[in-house]
């Protein structure tokens, strides 16, 4: 893969080159007058504001939001779907996403805001009516673009809970129960399945995908469908070094990574009309030893996206022999 190229089954970049290091990061911490501090930072926005908070008191921020939108600043809000958000009119925002987990777990408890793809506000402070009465804090980070990108991905993942995709949930039904038999007991496994799209490369170096039913408890796996796609990456090639990472670098990476996630999640999932709980690719974990000493390759299944509701249940990597053999 050439420098700057995109891997369309995992979203990874290979980048090289040297540029001068410029560190303009700035972080401040606030324990008092927090609402005033938030309003001041919001009022400085020139392009966009993305707010993701568990509870939001619109009356407290109405004036500053109206002023910002009148200047063309795009304001989006993600908050919990409850009696507090019921009084918020969607027309007050350019994007309004009241979210609900539909499960016994997964309450959205975030308190963060992204301003102009440059500034992050986060901390314990709820943007609610009574928050000022409590001992709270916020941290304001500016120009830490690795952090900004992580929060942008989280914001996009949270927005999914607003739509029908959130209702694709694990539940006790035959479709989500492992039907494989235990060779020792002769009984069905009956553990909960997840649906995972796994990417690999075919003999022509084109991405291929497998939609797998995976039992995480006992490492059972069943290939539901396999499909191969040839995808042209028209992203402009660019080089950078980790020491130099500016807003344009971050946005290029974020937009490309998000395109990969959306494609693999919605397009490939739609082909099969199955919910997708995770996206993964098979990686070689010992390239150095393999090339240097000609030892056999060791493989691992790296999960790079998980349905936000199942992060605590789906690990970041798994070792399922059936999938690894398919990928080789």
């Amino acid at each position: 893969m050439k420098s700057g190229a995109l891997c369309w089954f995992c979203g990874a970049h290979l980048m090289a080159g040297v540029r001068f290091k410029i560190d303009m990061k700035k972080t401040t911490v606030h324990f008092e007058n927090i609402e005033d501090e938030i309003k001041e930072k919001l009022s400085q926005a020139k392009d966009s504001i993305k707010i993701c908070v568990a509870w939001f008191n619109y009356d407290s921020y109405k004036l500053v939001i109206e002023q910002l939108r009148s200047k063309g600043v795009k304001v989006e809000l993600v908050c919990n779907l409850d009696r507090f958000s019921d009084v918020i009119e969607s027309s007050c925002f350019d994007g309004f996403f009241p979210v609900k987990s539909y499960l016994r777990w997964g309450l959205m408890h975030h308190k963060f805001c992204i301003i102009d793809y440059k500034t992050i506000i986060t901390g314990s402070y709820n943007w609610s009516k009574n928050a000022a009465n409590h001992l709270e804090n916020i941290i304001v980070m500016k120009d830490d673009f690795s952090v900004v990108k992580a929060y942008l991905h989280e914001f996009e993942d949270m927005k999914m809970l607003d739509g029908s995709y959130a209702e694709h949930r694990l539940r006790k039904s035959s479709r989500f129960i492992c039907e494989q038999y235990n060779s020792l007991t002769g009984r069905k496994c009956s553990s909960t399945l997840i649906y995972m799209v796994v990417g690999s490369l075919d003999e022509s170096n084109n991405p291929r995908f497998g939609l797998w039913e995976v039992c995480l408890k006992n490492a059972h796996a069943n290939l539901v469908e396999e499909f191969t796609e040839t995808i042209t990456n028209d992203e402009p090639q660019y080089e950078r070094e980790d020491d130099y990472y500016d807003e344009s670098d971050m946005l290029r990476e974020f937009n490309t990574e998000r395109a990969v996630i959306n494609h693999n999640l919605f397009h490939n999932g739609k082909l099969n009309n199955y919910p997708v709980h995770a996206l993964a690719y098979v990686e070689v974990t010992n390239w150095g030893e393999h090339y240097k000493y000609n030892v056999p390759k060791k493989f691992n299944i790296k999960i790079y996206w998980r349905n936000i509701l199942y992060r605590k249940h789906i690990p970041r990597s798994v070792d399922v022999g059936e999938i690894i053999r398919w990928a080789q």
Side-chain angles (χ1 to χ4, degrees), residues 35-36 38-40 42-43 49 51 56-71 73 75 77 87-89 91-94 127-129:
E35 184 175 309
D36 291 339
I38 291 174
K39 289 179 180 178
E40 179 185 346
L42 293 177
S43 65
I49 294 174
I51 304 168
F56 184 82
N57 181 28
Y58 179 69
D59 289 341
S60 297
Y61 299 91
K62 178 180 179 180
L63 181 60
V64 66
I65 289 175
E66 288 179 344
Q67 291 174 343
L68 287 164
R69 294 189 70 204
S70 69
K71 295 188 296 184
V73 176
V75 183
L77 171 66
V87 299
I88 300 176
E89 295 290 337
S91 60
C92 297
F93 296 88
D94 298 283
W127 297 27
S128 60
K129 186 175 181 180

Side-chain angles (χ1 to χ4, degrees), residues 78-105:
V78 174
C79 64
N80 281 317
L81 176 60
D82 54 24
R83 61 188 177 89
F84 300 104
S85 63
D86 283 345
V87 299
I88 300 176
E89 295 290 337
S90 60
S91 60
C92 297
F93 296 88
D94 298 283
F96 177 49
F97 307 92
V99 301
K100 186 176 180 180
S101 89
Y102 299 96
L103 297 170
R104 298 190 305 275
W105 63 82

Side-chain angles (χ1 to χ4, degrees), residues 214-307:
V214 181
C215 162
L216 297 176
K217 181 177 180 180
N218 295 306
H220 295 146
N222 176 55
L223 181 61
V224 177
E225 187 169 344
E226 180 179 356
F227 36 96
T228 302
E229 296 186 4
T230 301
I231 303 172
T232 301
N233 175 26
D234 293 326
E235 280 287 306
Q237 303 303 308
Y238 62 100
E239 298 181 347
R240 74 165 177 85
E241 188 180 64
D242 285 344
D243 284 344
Y244 186 97
Y245 191 57
D246 61 15
E247 181 184 354
S248 59
D249 288 325
M250 181 275 293
L251 286 174
R252 278 194 295 262
E253 283 190 10
F254 169 74
N255 290 329
T256 305
E257 290 166 7
R258 206 69 213 175
V260 172
I261 290 172
N262 290 337
H263 175 86
N264 292 345
L265 180 61
F266 294 107
H267 177 64
N268 294 337
K270 268 186 170 181
L271 287 177
N272 304 277
N273 196 30
Y274 281 83
V276 177
H277 302 107
L279 302 173
Y281 62 94
V282 178
E283 64 176 355
V284 178
T285 60
N286 66 335
W287 276 118
E289 293 179 351
H290 172 69
Y291 282 119
K292 189 172 182 178
Y293 302 110
N294 199 30
V295 299
K297 295 177 184 177
K298 295 181 181 179
F299 296 89
N300 185 49
I301 302 167
K302 178 72 172 180
I303 298 175
Y304 65 91
W305 181 89
R306 296 168 292 173
N307 181 303

Side-chain angles (χ1 to χ4, degrees), residues 133-147:
N133 298 323
H134 305 302
L135 301 176
E136 306 282 0
N137 70 84
I138 60 168
I139 295 176
V140 180
M141 294 173 282
K142 187 174 181 180
D143 294 335
D144 193 334
F145 295 109
S146 294
V147 172

